[in-house]
Amino acid sequence: MMVRKKIPEKSVERICRYREILLEYQSIGKEFIFSHELASEVRVSPAQVRRDLMYFHLKGVPQQGYRVSEFLYEIDDLIDPKEVQDVILIGVGNLGKAILSYFTHKRPKLSIVAAFDVDANKVDRVISGCECFHMRDLQKFTREREIKIAIITVPAQEAQAIANTLVESGIRGILNFSPVLLKVPADVYLECIDITTSLEKTVYFSRGRR
Amino acid sequence: MMVRKKIPEKSVERICRYREILLEYQSIGKEFIFSHELASEVRVSPAQVRRDLMYFHLKGVPQQGYRVSEFLYEIDDLIDPKEVQDVILIGVGNLGKAILSYFTHKRPKLSIVAAFDVDANKVDRVISGCECFHMRDLQKFTREREIKIAIITVPAQEAQAIANTLVESGIRGILNFSPVLLKVPADVYLECIDITTSLEKTVYFSRGRR
DNA sequence: AGGCAATTGTGAATTAATTAACAAATTGTT
DNA sequence: AACAATTTGTTAATTAATTCACAATTGCCT
């Protein structure tokens, strides 16, 4: 079987954004898209778009561009898991709820199947369309359902302990929103969204403009 | 007056993370830190840390490392605005609330001074420690207080319109959490946090590991 | 059908980011 | 007071990411 070239993070990120735009195009009935159209939507160069396209084999035609449906098919094939991926979320605070309601049915291949919290008001209820369990069942659930992906939205102090539990239970990837630089083994993929850093960056780069 | 070298985004990001660790060190009373300690905390190479340090002039001493307090001072001096920056947040849903409560007194130089929403239950109340006004006052407030930074946490459909209003009112930087690729003039800094893309990335890179 | 204009696909060139490497400096030790 | 062991600061080397540039296509127009 042929091994697909490994795709760098940056490209995967851009490809996900392309999909967003392509879905929009599809929804308004446009059948074709040019590299420069996609590029201007995503704020990259047309050359960059075409370069990213080399990771999969999409044939565009000069004067016409790429067929949107075909483009989307290729992205799905490249990026999406083959089977539906079950994801869990830990920490049903404001942030957790935002993510839950946000993700419901966003992508057919991604499904947040359970949320966990310690708060009795949340446990055993459906919150933002997702069933919420007590934290004490986290490990059991993760193991039995063989969950590979988790989203952490708990306060800073608890984050590392939860990450540890998850790793122990066989998690392969963590999307972390808690304001802590988690430590996980090198073979567990860790994506961190650090809101403070983002704001600080915004402030920094906003100065010295005009 | 000497012009400070322009610092690339990646370095600013790392420097913000360094600060996080340094504050931790400070809080547990450690006076010095080595480049390799900081590096392992932030998951970069020691050489990278030292390289980043070249953007400001911090003298470390062999065998001892960098003085934490001095290090923090230099970061503040480099990254933080000289005066307190007033920031506003638009969209007091779950995500907005999460950010509000999260940021209160997080950084002395950054202050979310107002939030905006259309919901009558939120307007004219203090939510997560922040005063909430009606959306219709957004432009007036932004102009009068000369707000330069805004955080957008509204649903997708409204995001672009709000961005337009903000730009018109003189905003210089936007931190956008709404799932839309906003269009703003090139001289307005735009930082986007795209939760969907992050999750998709996590899923993608979690496969093919063990 | 032939020519014009636009757009793709991809090596080559460029620029940016990271790592390697090592002299200079400093501390503690004998 | 010389030595050994570290760790810094920085230049050079390497690797990664982006842009350039242009031949090869294709559609459209006359």
Side-chain angles (χ1 to χ4, degrees), chain A residues 102 107 179 187 200 210, chain B residues 13 102 107 179 187 200 210:
Chain A
Y102 181 63
R107 288 278 181 274
D187 63 346
E200 287 173 337
R210 172 110 50 93
Chain B
E13 233 166 73
Y102 180 61
R107 288 279 182 273
D187 63 347
E200 287 172 339
R210 173 112 45 100

Side-chain angles (χ1 to χ4, degrees), chain A residues 93-163:
Chain A
N94 282 317
L95 184 55
K97 280 188 230 165
I99 292 173
L100 286 177
S101 56
Y102 181 63
F103 256 113
T104 316
H105 304 123
K106 185 74 201 273
R107 288 278 181 274
K109 289 302 186 60
L110 296 182
S111 165
I112 302 186
V113 295
F116 295 86
D117 206 297
V118 288
D119 185 341
N121 294 318
K122 290 166 189 162
V123 169
D124 293 326
R125 291 180 46 196
V126 173
I127 294 177
S128 304
C130 181
E131 237 187 305
C132 185
F133 301 101
H134 194 280
M135 199 77 91
R136 76 171 80 85
D137 299 324
L138 174 59
Q139 183 144 41
K140 187 162 172 282
F141 188 99
T142 309
R143 285 208 163 121
E144 284 179 2
R145 295 280 296 262
E146 296 187 331
I147 302 294
K148 298 296 171 222
I149 313 285
I151 303 172
I152 296 185
T153 48
V154 299
Q157 323 81 271
E158 290 145 52
Q160 185 62 61
I162 285 167

